[in-house]
Amino acid sequence: GEPATAPLPATDNSLARGQTLFGIYCSVCHGPQGGGDGPLGRDSYLPETAVLNGARVQNLADGDIFLVITNGKNRMPSLSEQLSPGETWDIVNYVRSLSAVTAE
């Protein structure tokens, strides 16, 4: 129930890597800004947890987001075979940065 690795700091490099990885693995469902409006997400039913820049996901602990990416949940598949733990933490850091999008 806990990540096996410690979180990586949200440095500029981590955020840049996370943004790139998010574009490859996540944006197809979650959309480029985490609004749940990716090409696959907007045409199918996705729970509000697919909206990454909203309060429900932004209020989760970093470790919880890490575990969802790693293990999958509901319709989201596990990405444990595609991503290293460090890459997963980069995505967690990037997902955290998406909360600024809703504040604008």
Side-chain angles (χ1 to χ4, degrees), residues 11-28:
T11 63
D12 289 342
N13 286 337
S14 175
L15 291 170
R17 288 188 306 265
Q19 182 176 21
T20 298
L21 292 164
F22 185 91
I24 295 167
Y25 295 103
C26 312
S27 66
V28 68

Side-chain angles (χ1 to χ4, degrees), residues 67-101:
L67 290 173
V68 169
I69 296 168
T70 301
N71 300 326
K73 186 170 185 177
N74 299 324
R75 290 181 156 191
M76 183 173 158
S78 166
L79 295 176
S80 63
E81 293 187 18
Q82 289 82 14
L83 299 169
S84 71
E87 290 169 330
T88 303
W89 284 119
D90 290 335
I91 293 174
V92 171
N93 289 335
Y94 180 70
V95 166
R96 286 287 184 224
S97 76
L98 295 175
S99 67
V101 173

Side-chain angles (χ1 to χ4, degrees), residues 38-45:
L40 294 180
R42 68 174 164 249
D43 293 331
S44 65
Y45 169 76

